[in-house]
Amino acid sequence: MTREEFIGLATGEQESLRRFLLSLCGDPAEADDIAQDALMNAYVASASFRGAARFSTWLFRIAYNCFIDRLRSRKIQTSPLDAPAAQTVPGPDATDGRFRHEDLHRAIGRLPDKERAALLLFYMEDKSVKEIAVILEIPAGSVRAYLTRGRRHVKEYLEKWKTR
Amino acid sequence: MENEIKEFFRQTAPKPADPTSFTLELNARLAAVEQIKAYRDREIRRTRRVFLIVFVAGLLVGGALAAFLILHPLTLPEPGLSPEDLAPAPWRWAAAGAVVLGTVLAAILLTRRRTPLLPRI
């Protein structure tokens, strides 16, 4: 794969990759840094990309591994809204009736990383269960279990949000 | 409820910053990776060439020495000869010199200063 071909493919995935990483770690600078690392690693390993998986799935898998490596080595703050104030649910009257980006952290910020990643990939990035299993390197059954638990969690948040 | 959850994620999706600076940085990083790759490939080729030269030189020197020994069989001195008769023959000095010279040349080739990875500023 030439550099131009790689850039062409990466450009198509750039926005969703950065959005996914930003939703995971919460810090735009950190998320972009991880995305750069992931794209560099992908470029270095592009000769080994055989096309068995979609380019997007392969890239997200590398990005998720970069995120996990960063998490282990630098202990990045994955849920910046862990402060007590962040645990409150503002409710529709506090806003114009629309959800804000902060609500996402309130709803899923305290979930385990894999569970959060599965939810984001499924609902935000429209990935299938099979693709999520490849990205997170877990069996499809575990992805379904994570989604069920995560869905219950978000549902509870939404119910609280509505009743306030 | 499924639709509500989908809508929740759609509304709360963060918007990444302007992609221009991200793309510029990515291009610069990829260019650096290419430079490193090219340097690594150059070094691999150079090391292979040095090993090939040393291997061929060893074969030639070894072959020449073996041929010389076969063509000029060694005659052992008779017991009771004077110490002058036991002195090494001139061809032995030449062979020893060739081995030393070969070793020095190989050492120079292997430790030759490499091309710098990045141009000096």
Side-chain angles (χ1 to χ4, degrees):
Chain A
M1 191 184 294
T2 64
R3 189 169 143 202
E4 285 70 31
E5 284 171 341
F6 180 82
I7 289 175
L9 285 170
T11 306
E13 299 298 331
Q14 200 196 94
E15 197 190 336
S16 79
L17 185 75
R18 292 171 71 202
R19 185 174 51 222
F20 168 64
L21 290 167
L22 180 53
S23 307
L24 264 185
C25 71
D27 176 6
E30 189 84 53
D32 275 1
D33 214 27
I34 299 170
Q36 293 276 359
D37 279 354
L39 286 163
M40 286 255 294
N41 289 349
Y43 180 62
V44 170
S46 60
S48 67
F49 175 64
R50 299 268 175 258
R54 278 173 59 202
F55 179 77
S56 155
T57 310
W58 181 69
L59 191 58
F60 270 79
R61 181 178 177 160
I62 294 174
Y64 183 72
N65 285 335
C66 283
F67 166 73
I68 294 295
D69 286 349
R70 191 70 68 102
L71 206 63
R72 284 180 188 145
S73 63
R74 288 162 86 183
K75 302 201 185 323
I76 56 173
Q77 187 76 29
T78 56
S79 46
L81 296 172
D82 267 354
Q87 305 311 316
T88 58
V89 180
D93 53 343
T95 66
D96 56 3
R98 287 177 63 83
F99 292 107
R100 304 278 179 206
H101 172 54
E102 292 74 23
D103 290 315
L104 181 67
H105 286 285
R106 288 192 183 96
I108 63 169
R110 300 188 71 142
L111 295 178
D113 292 324
K114 278 200 172 156
E115 212 168 304
R116 203 148 37 99
L119 275 176
L120 290 168
L121 288 167
F122 189 79
Y123 287 109
M124 204 178 271
E125 306 306 333
D126 289 325
K127 303 278 182 210
S128 67
V129 170
K130 207 174 158 186
E131 283 174 317
I132 298 170
V134 174
I135 293 168
L136 303 183
E137 296 175 76
I138 52 173
S142 305
V143 175
R144 283 191 203 97
Y146 285 154
L147 287 174
T148 308
R149 273 207 301 269
R151 209 175 273 134
R152 198 183 310 134
H153 203 86
V154 176
K155 205 172 143 186
E156 277 168 21
Y157 179 85
L158 291 177
E159 274 161 8
K160 275 186 202 167
W161 193 83
K162 271 188 210 161
T163 52
R164 289 229 167 188
Chain B
M1 196 66 199
E2 188 69 9
N3 284 342
E4 271 183 64
I5 296 175
K6 271 188 186 159
E7 185 58 19
F8 171 73
F9 276 93
R10 199 189 59 75
Q11 284 185 19
T12 56
K15 300 270 179 292
D18 176 36
T20 317
S21 61
F22 182 86
T23 310
L24 283 176
E25 195 185 332
L26 179 66
N27 277 329
R29 284 189 183 206
L30 293 186
V33 168
E34 289 223 323
Q35 214 170 349
I36 291 166
K37 266 184 172 177
Y39 173 79
R40 193 195 56 188
D41 292 347
R42 240 184 1 251
E43 283 303 301
I44 289 171
R45 276 199 302 274
R46 197 188 74 86
T47 311
R48 278 187 190 151
R49 204 170 51 235
V50 167
F51 274 106
L52 190 71
I53 290 168
V54 170
F55 178 72
V56 171
L59 275 183
L60 288 177
V61 170
L65 272 174
F68 190 85
L69 286 173
I70 290 164
L71 293 173
H72 298 84
L74 198 63
T75 46
L76 289 172
E78 291 292 325
L81 288 176
S82 64
E84 287 79 24
D85 293 331
L86 296 172
W91 67 268
R92 287 190 176 179
W93 286 112
V99 168
V100 170
L101 193 67
T103 312
V104 170
L105 276 176
I108 289 169
L109 272 174
L110 287 170
T111 56
R112 195 176 55 174
R113 189 171 161 268
R114 294 170 181 205
T115 323
L117 174 59
L118 296 170
R120 288 178 193 279
I121 300 165

mmCIF file of all heavy atoms in Angstrom, chain B residues 42-64:
data_model
loop_
_atom_site.group_PDB
_atom_site.id
_atom_site.type_symbol
_atom_site.label_atom_id
_atom_site.label_comp_id
_atom_site.label_asym_id
_atom_site.label_seq_id
_atom_site.Cartn_x
_atom_site.Cartn_y
_atom_site.Cartn_z
ATOM 1 N N ARG B 42 18.339 0.918 3.444
ATOM 2 C CA ARG B 42 19.703 1.200 2.980
ATOM 3 C C ARG B 42 20.718 0.464 3.835
ATOM 4 O O ARG B 42 21.660 -0.135 3.323
ATOM 5 C CB ARG B 42 19.945 2.705 3.085
ATOM 6 C CG ARG B 42 20.263 3.338 1.756
ATOM 7 C CD ARG B 42 20.600 4.809 1.777
ATOM 8 N NE ARG B 42 20.624 5.527 3.008
ATOM 9 C CZ ARG B 42 19.721 6.430 3.375
ATOM 10 N NH1 ARG B 42 18.684 6.660 2.599
ATOM 11 N NH2 ARG B 42 19.835 7.097 4.510
ATOM 12 N N GLU B 43 20.489 0.500 5.156
ATOM 13 C CA GLU B 43 21.421 -0.153 6.079
ATOM 14 C C GLU B 43 21.421 -1.671 5.890
ATOM 15 O O GLU B 43 22.465 -2.308 5.947
ATOM 16 C CB GLU B 43 21.053 0.184 7.537
ATOM 17 C CG GLU B 43 21.475 1.568 7.964
ATOM 18 C CD GLU B 43 22.966 1.793 7.784
ATOM 19 O OE1 GLU B 43 23.759 1.048 8.371
ATOM 20 O OE2 GLU B 43 23.339 2.711 7.034
ATOM 21 N N ILE B 44 20.251 -2.246 5.667
ATOM 22 C CA ILE B 44 20.161 -3.697 5.445
ATOM 23 C C ILE B 44 20.935 -4.072 4.181
ATOM 24 O O ILE B 44 21.716 -5.027 4.177
ATOM 25 C CB ILE B 44 18.679 -4.141 5.347
ATOM 26 C CG1 ILE B 44 18.016 -4.037 6.726
ATOM 27 C CG2 ILE B 44 18.556 -5.565 4.816
ATOM 28 C CD1 ILE B 44 16.514 -4.241 6.732
ATOM 29 N N ARG B 45 20.743 -3.283 3.122
ATOM 30 C CA ARG B 45 21.453 -3.565 1.854
ATOM 31 C C ARG B 45 22.961 -3.458 2.051
ATOM 32 O O ARG B 45 23.725 -4.298 1.589
ATOM 33 C CB ARG B 45 20.986 -2.586 0.772
ATOM 34 C CG ARG B 45 19.704 -3.008 0.076
ATOM 35 C CD ARG B 45 19.553 -2.296 -1.260
ATOM 36 N NE ARG B 45 19.565 -0.840 -1.106
ATOM 37 C CZ ARG B 45 18.494 -0.112 -0.829
ATOM 38 N NH1 ARG B 45 17.324 -0.690 -0.672
ATOM 39 N NH2 ARG B 45 18.561 1.197 -0.715
ATOM 40 N N ARG B 46 23.386 -2.413 2.795
ATOM 41 C CA ARG B 46 24.815 -2.189 3.013
ATOM 42 C C ARG B 46 25.421 -3.345 3.808
ATOM 43 O O ARG B 46 26.484 -3.857 3.465
ATOM 44 C CB ARG B 46 25.028 -0.877 3.789
ATOM 45 C CG ARG B 46 26.433 -0.334 3.734
ATOM 46 C CD ARG B 46 26.578 0.842 4.675
ATOM 47 N NE ARG B 46 26.616 0.387 6.066
ATOM 48 C CZ ARG B 46 27.718 -0.008 6.681
ATOM 49 N NH1 ARG B 46 28.866 0.004 6.051
ATOM 50 N NH2 ARG B 46 27.683 -0.414 7.931
ATOM 51 N N THR B 47 24.729 -3.774 4.876
ATOM 52 C CA THR B 47 25.240 -4.879 5.698
ATOM 53 C C THR B 47 25.357 -6.155 4.869
ATOM 54 O O THR B 47 26.355 -6.870 4.965
ATOM 55 C CB THR B 47 24.289 -5.102 6.896
ATOM 56 O OG1 THR B 47 24.048 -3.851 7.510
ATOM 57 C CG2 THR B 47 24.872 -6.053 7.908
ATOM 58 N N ARG B 48 24.353 -6.407 4.021
ATOM 59 C CA ARG B 48 24.398 -7.603 3.169
ATOM 60 C C ARG B 48 25.597 -7.543 2.229
ATOM 61 O O ARG B 48 26.283 -8.534 2.028
ATOM 62 C CB ARG B 48 23.115 -7.704 2.351
ATOM 63 C CG ARG B 48 21.985 -8.314 3.135
ATOM 64 C CD ARG B 48 20.800 -8.544 2.229
ATOM 65 N NE ARG B 48 19.629 -8.902 3.004
ATOM 66 C CZ ARG B 48 18.393 -8.642 2.644
ATOM 67 N NH1 ARG B 48 18.151 -8.015 1.521
ATOM 68 N NH2 ARG B 48 17.370 -9.014 3.388
ATOM 69 N N ARG B 49 25.849 -6.353 1.669
ATOM 70 C CA ARG B 49 26.963 -6.196 0.724
ATOM 71 C C ARG B 49 28.290 -6.461 1.429
ATOM 72 O O ARG B 49 29.147 -7.171 0.904
ATOM 73 C CB ARG B 49 26.925 -4.779 0.158
ATOM 74 C CG ARG B 49 27.601 -4.661 -1.203
ATOM 75 C CD ARG B 49 27.347 -3.322 -1.854
ATOM 76 N NE ARG B 49 27.629 -2.187 -0.999
ATOM 77 C CZ ARG B 49 26.754 -1.236 -0.726
ATOM 78 N NH1 ARG B 49 25.540 -1.295 -1.206
ATOM 79 N NH2 ARG B 49 27.073 -0.228 0.056
ATOM 80 N N VAL B 50 28.439 -5.889 2.666
ATOM 81 C CA VAL B 50 29.687 -6.074 3.413
ATOM 82 C C VAL B 50 29.911 -7.554 3.700
ATOM 83 O O VAL B 50 31.006 -8.076 3.502
ATOM 84 C CB VAL B 50 29.651 -5.248 4.726
ATOM 85 C CG1 VAL B 50 30.766 -5.667 5.663
ATOM 86 C CG2 VAL B 50 29.748 -3.769 4.428
ATOM 87 N N PHE B 51 28.867 -8.239 4.123
ATOM 88 C CA PHE B 51 29.010 -9.663 4.431
ATOM 89 C C PHE B 51 29.387 -10.457 3.179
ATOM 90 O O PHE B 51 30.216 -11.359 3.243
ATOM 91 C CB PHE B 51 27.729 -10.220 5.057
ATOM 92 C CG PHE B 51 27.697 -10.024 6.543
ATOM 93 C CD1 PHE B 51 26.876 -9.071 7.131
ATOM 94 C CD2 PHE B 51 28.516 -10.777 7.380
ATOM 95 C CE1 PHE B 51 26.863 -8.867 8.501
ATOM 96 C CE2 PHE B 51 28.511 -10.586 8.753
ATOM 97 C CZ PHE B 51 27.684 -9.622 9.317
ATOM 98 N N LEU B 52 28.802 -10.081 2.066
ATOM 99 C CA LEU B 52 29.096 -10.774 0.805
ATOM 100 C C LEU B 52 30.560 -10.565 0.418
ATOM 101 O O LEU B 52 31.261 -11.521 0.050
ATOM 102 C CB LEU B 52 28.173 -10.247 -0.300
ATOM 103 C CG LEU B 52 28.209 -11.036 -1.597
ATOM 104 C CD1 LEU B 52 27.530 -12.387 -1.402
ATOM 105 C CD2 LEU B 52 27.505 -10.279 -2.712
ATOM 106 N N ILE B 53 31.027 -9.315 0.562
ATOM 107 C CA ILE B 53 32.425 -9.005 0.210
ATOM 108 C C ILE B 53 33.378 -9.807 1.092
ATOM 109 O O ILE B 53 34.311 -10.437 0.617
ATOM 110 C CB ILE B 53 32.693 -7.477 0.340
ATOM 111 C CG1 ILE B 53 31.961 -6.730 -0.773
ATOM 112 C CG2 ILE B 53 34.183 -7.170 0.289
ATOM 113 C CD1 ILE B 53 31.910 -5.229 -0.590
ATOM 114 N N VAL B 54 33.102 -9.795 2.423
ATOM 115 C CA VAL B 54 33.970 -10.509 3.359
ATOM 116 C C VAL B 54 33.948 -12.009 3.059
ATOM 117 O O VAL B 54 34.982 -12.681 3.076
ATOM 118 C CB VAL B 54 33.555 -10.205 4.818
ATOM 119 C CG1 VAL B 54 34.274 -11.099 5.798
ATOM 120 C CG2 VAL B 54 33.816 -8.746 5.136
ATOM 121 N N PHE B 55 32.751 -12.525 2.736
ATOM 122 C CA PHE B 55 32.616 -13.952 2.445
ATOM 123 C C PHE B 55 33.428 -14.338 1.205
ATOM 124 O O PHE B 55 34.213 -15.287 1.224
ATOM 125 C CB PHE B 55 31.131 -14.279 2.243
ATOM 126 C CG PHE B 55 30.849 -15.714 1.898
ATOM 127 C CD1 PHE B 55 30.984 -16.712 2.858
ATOM 128 C CD2 PHE B 55 30.460 -16.064 0.613
ATOM 129 C CE1 PHE B 55 30.722 -18.043 2.540
ATOM 130 C CE2 PHE B 55 30.208 -17.392 0.291
ATOM 131 C CZ PHE B 55 30.336 -18.377 1.251
ATOM 132 N N VAL B 56 33.280 -13.540 0.135
ATOM 133 C CA VAL B 56 33.991 -13.835 -1.122
ATOM 134 C C VAL B 56 35.503 -13.689 -0.905
ATOM 135 O O VAL B 56 36.285 -14.547 -1.360
ATOM 136 C CB VAL B 56 33.483 -12.905 -2.259
ATOM 137 C CG1 VAL B 56 34.350 -13.034 -3.497
ATOM 138 C CG2 VAL B 56 32.048 -13.248 -2.600
ATOM 139 N N ALA B 57 35.900 -12.625 -0.174
ATOM 140 C CA ALA B 57 37.322 -12.417 0.091
ATOM 141 C C ALA B 57 37.894 -13.594 0.875
ATOM 142 O O ALA B 57 38.992 -14.087 0.573
ATOM 143 C CB ALA B 57 37.522 -11.119 0.860
ATOM 144 N N GLY B 58 37.146 -14.066 1.858
ATOM 145 C CA GLY B 58 37.583 -15.227 2.658
ATOM 146 C C GLY B 58 37.750 -16.458 1.794
ATOM 147 O O GLY B 58 38.732 -17.198 1.922
ATOM 148 N N LEU B 59 36.786 -16.669 0.891
ATOM 149 C CA LEU B 59 36.858 -17.829 -0.008
ATOM 150 C C LEU B 59 38.091 -17.752 -0.897
ATOM 151 O O LEU B 59 38.819 -18.729 -1.073
ATOM 152 C CB LEU B 59 35.603 -17.888 -0.890
ATOM 153 C CG LEU B 59 34.372 -18.575 -0.328
ATOM 154 C CD1 LEU B 59 33.277 -18.594 -1.383
ATOM 155 C CD2 LEU B 59 34.683 -20.010 0.099
ATOM 156 N N LEU B 60 38.337 -16.549 -1.445
ATOM 157 C CA LEU B 60 39.466 -16.370 -2.364
ATOM 158 C C LEU B 60 40.799 -16.583 -1.637
ATOM 159 O O LEU B 60 41.669 -17.320 -2.117
ATOM 160 C CB LEU B 60 39.429 -14.969 -2.990
ATOM 161 C CG LEU B 60 38.320 -14.748 -4.030
ATOM 162 C CD1 LEU B 60 38.327 -13.300 -4.521
ATOM 163 C CD2 LEU B 60 38.490 -15.691 -5.217
ATOM 164 N N VAL B 61 40.930 -15.932 -0.464
ATOM 165 C CA VAL B 61 42.188 -16.048 0.291
ATOM 166 C C VAL B 61 42.394 -17.494 0.736
ATOM 167 O O VAL B 61 43.484 -18.059 0.581
ATOM 168 C CB VAL B 61 42.184 -15.080 1.500
ATOM 169 C CG1 VAL B 61 43.361 -15.346 2.425
ATOM 170 C CG2 VAL B 61 42.206 -13.637 1.016
ATOM 171 N N GLY B 62 41.315 -18.077 1.260
ATOM 172 C CA GLY B 62 41.411 -19.483 1.718
ATOM 173 C C GLY B 62 41.750 -20.415 0.571
ATOM 174 O O GLY B 62 42.618 -21.292 0.697
ATOM 175 N N GLY B 63 41.103 -20.196 -0.588
ATOM 176 C CA GLY B 63 41.353 -21.024 -1.770
ATOM 177 C C GLY B 63 42.782 -20.869 -2.251
ATOM 178 O O GLY B 63 43.448 -21.857 -2.579
ATOM 179 N N ALA B 64 43.249 -19.618 -2.269
ATOM 180 C CA ALA B 64 44.616 -19.362 -2.739
ATOM 181 C C ALA B 64 45.632 -20.024 -1.817
ATOM 182 O O ALA B 64 46.602 -20.651 -2.268
ATOM 183 C CB ALA B 64 44.859 -17.861 -2.805
#
